[in-house]
Amino acid sequence: MEGAIMNMEQRFTGFRLLVVAALYLGGLIPANQALGDVLQVGPLRALKTPSAAAKVAKDGDIVQIDAGSYPGDVAVWKQNDLILRSNGGPVKLQANGQIADQKGIWVIKGDRVRVSGIEFSGAKANAKNGAGIRSEGKGLTVIGCVFRDNENGILTNPVAESDILVEHSEFDHNGAGDGYSHNMYITHVRSFTLRYSASHRSVVGHLVKSRAHKTVIAYNELVEGAEGQASYLIDVPNGGDVTIIGNVIEQSAKALNNAMIALGVEKKKQHPAHRFRVVNNTIVNRNATGRFIVNGTQTPVRLINNLAIGQGKFVIGPAEMGSNMHLRRHGWSEVASMVADDFGLLLQPFRLLALTDEPQPGFVDPLNLDMRLTAISPALDVGMDPGVDGTQPLWPEYEYVHPLNKVVRKRNGPLDLGAYER
């Protein structure tokens, strides 16, 4: 995985240099910004710590940090177009009681900053919102990073022109325990995309929270784990343009909120228009009760090819449904029982099978959340073509692969339901 991330970074850097050179030759950027420097950071370098580099870096620089631990080193990055990346292995930034600007381990004020290969842990602030990364500029890309035991993993400022992209990253056990801090908290920005990542064990807060105008959550593992006590697994409280596709989503038996996906539930603060698509997700509820999807708006959520497993209501609020399946369970033996509750606007009803006490697991290892389908699964080949919604193609392109990776989803006839194709 580390090698793949480094290869991606090298390709990105080469492409970036070509683009910058072209812009410079075209007179679109000044000469002093054409090519940034490469700053080497490490115990044996002139710049010993990331914070030392933050004081001298210029717009467009590449800051390359040698693998290892930098305990108590926190920094404010004010420059634009930075690339901040590890070199030779993971870089571990443990806060150890330090916090930059009472906000985060790294406070990123510059625009269009890219971070890769960094682990952030232990951020705590007086206001209980200390973040691994506090993003205050326009645009942030995070690839191959880990956020663990912070009050927030990533916390963004509301910046109308900001686009946030997170890929191949892990969020574990973040939250101050007050319900206002989360594994990741994306505030009012233009767009937020989370792909090929894992989020689990948030401390009372949410696994993913986004107030972005456009939110895409695609091909991730969003699970609480056996001891998890998170609130919502996905919370998009203001609604907007939302696509949730190809994820494995699991709620624990100890969840503090029995709703899993919440859309537009803050009714006084909603975006002016909504478009909701929830497509080809595998959603597991280990709780005795639950609500898989809660829609707090008057705009129907399009629910297509989802596989819901466990007790509870499939959807609360307006919905247009096509080829979804709800398998209830006896203990953890899945059985082919399916419900067709009248949840609102039905584009296509649930397929209806007889209730049976005969176990029909249909999954490789559901106890350990390996929800790939077996040859006897009732979810095989019963999906519909999800088509295109607006400009958003809804056919699932990938599957999440543990850890923090993806694989191209097979195309071999009708879609299977859920996040995996057999």
Side-chain angles (χ1 to χ4, degrees):
M1 180 64 191
E2 178 189 326
I5 295 296
M6 287 299 295
N7 287 337
M8 283 192 293
E9 286 299 317
Q10 290 167 359
R11 289 197 297 269
F12 174 82
T13 301
F15 176 73
R16 171 181 170 276
L17 294 177
L18 288 174
V19 171
V20 171
L23 292 172
Y24 167 60
L25 292 173
L28 298 178
I29 59 176
N32 62 358
Q33 293 182 14
L35 296 175
D37 295 326
V38 177
L39 305 183
Q40 301 284 354
V41 175
L44 303 179
R45 312 281 190 178
L47 297 170
K48 306 296 183 186
T49 61
S51 61
K55 295 175 182 177
V56 299
K58 305 181 303 298
D59 288 357
D61 281 352
I62 298 171
V63 179
Q64 196 158 275
I65 307 167
D66 290 343
S69 296
Y70 298 82
D73 189 70
V74 300
V76 177
W77 301 92
K78 300 178 181 180
Q79 305 83 356
N80 300 321
D81 301 300
L82 290 175
I83 296 176
L84 310 174
R85 69 185 187 195
S86 63
N87 177 39
V91 169
K92 298 185 177 182
L93 303 179
Q94 303 105 337
N96 283 13
Q98 301 301 308
I99 193 81
D101 281 1
Q102 275 298 313
K103 294 177 181 178
I105 295 174
W106 279 4
V107 179
I108 299 179
K109 297 179 178 288
D111 299 338
R112 300 173 300 278
V113 173
R114 183 181 182 94
V115 181
S116 65
I118 314 295
E119 179 176 323
F120 302 86
S121 64
K124 299 183 185 301
N126 292 338
K128 295 187 177 182
N129 63 354
I133 291 179
R134 177 70 171 264
S135 175
E136 298 185 345
K138 299 176 184 177
L140 172 69
T141 297
V142 173
I143 297 179
C145 291
V146 176
F147 300 84
R148 181 174 288 118
D149 296 320
N150 305 286
E151 290 173 330
N152 287 284
I154 295 176
L155 175 61
T156 73
N157 278 17
V159 180
E161 299 176 2
S162 185
D163 299 300
I164 309 296
L165 171 63
V166 178
E167 294 182 333
H168 303 287
S169 295
E170 180 182 8
F171 297 79
D172 176 37
H173 204 251
N174 300 284
D178 57 1
Y180 299 103
S181 49
H182 313 281
N183 267 1
M184 63 198 86
Y185 187 1
I186 311 302
T187 57
H188 293 276
V189 298
R190 181 165 54 195
S191 72
F192 169 54
T193 300
L194 176 70
R195 299 189 293 218
Y196 331 129
S197 296
S199 180
H200 39 93
R201 296 197 313 156
S202 179
V203 182
V204 179
H206 310 322
L207 297 189
V208 183
K209 182 166 185 173
S210 172
R211 296 184 184 274
H213 288 269
K214 180 177 181 179
T215 297
V216 177
I217 300 173
Y219 318 113
N220 304 285
E221 183 182 82
L222 310 175
V223 305
E224 290 188 291
E227 300 300 317
Q229 291 185 303
S231 185
Y232 296 127
L233 307 182
I234 298 175
D235 183 25
V236 190
N238 308 113
D241 187 332
V242 181
T243 302
I244 300 171
I245 184 169
N247 303 280
V248 176
I249 302 167
E250 179 255 13
Q251 178 170 254
S252 79
K254 298 181 178 181
L256 298 179
N257 188 329
N258 69 2
M260 287 164 263
I261 299 174
L263 305 170
V265 294
E266 292 186 10
K267 297 185 178 182
K268 294 182 179 180
K269 301 179 181 180
Q270 293 178 0
H271 292 306
H274 308 291
R275 191 190 295 268
F276 301 134
R277 313 103 164 166
V278 179
V279 180
N280 274 100
N281 301 280
T282 297
I283 312 172
V284 180
N285 181 26
R286 297 182 186 269
N287 213 318
T289 61
R291 298 167 293 163
F292 288 82
I293 296 108
V294 177
N295 179 7
T297 77
Q298 297 303 308
T299 301
V301 51
R302 293 193 67 192
L303 300 171
I304 303 173
N305 297 340
N306 296 286
L307 180 56
I309 303 157
Q311 300 297 321
K313 290 283 190 179
F314 182 63
V315 62
I316 303 295
E320 298 175 351
M321 297 196 286
S323 294
N324 300 282
M325 183 179 288
H326 186 176
L327 300 178
R328 298 185 184 274
R329 71 192 191 282
H330 292 175
W332 267 104
S333 293
E334 317 303 331
V335 297
S337 66
M338 306 183 62
V339 295
D341 301 79
D342 183 9
F343 290 133
L345 304 175
L346 293 181
L347 180 66
Q348 180 176 334
F350 282 102
R351 298 172 182 273
L352 195 59
L353 300 180
L355 176 63
T356 174
D357 288 328
E358 294 298 320
Q360 297 182 14
F363 307 98
V364 172
D365 188 1
L367 278 174
N368 292 305
L369 211 70
D370 187 344
M371 307 309 294
R372 290 175 296 162
L373 305 179
T374 68
I376 64 171
S377 173
L380 295 176
D381 295 332
V382 294
M384 61 182 285
D385 184 344
V388 177
D389 190 352
T391 61
Q392 178 68 51
L394 296 181
W395 190 288
E397 298 181 81
Y398 301 103
E399 297 173 348
Y400 176 82
V401 175
H402 181 81
L404 309 178
N405 217 329
K406 65 176 180 179
V407 66
V408 174
R409 182 165 175 151
K410 300 174 186 175
R411 288 204 179 201
N412 51 7
L415 271 168
D416 297 341
L417 302 184
Y420 295 103
E421 190 78 19
R422 180 171 168 77

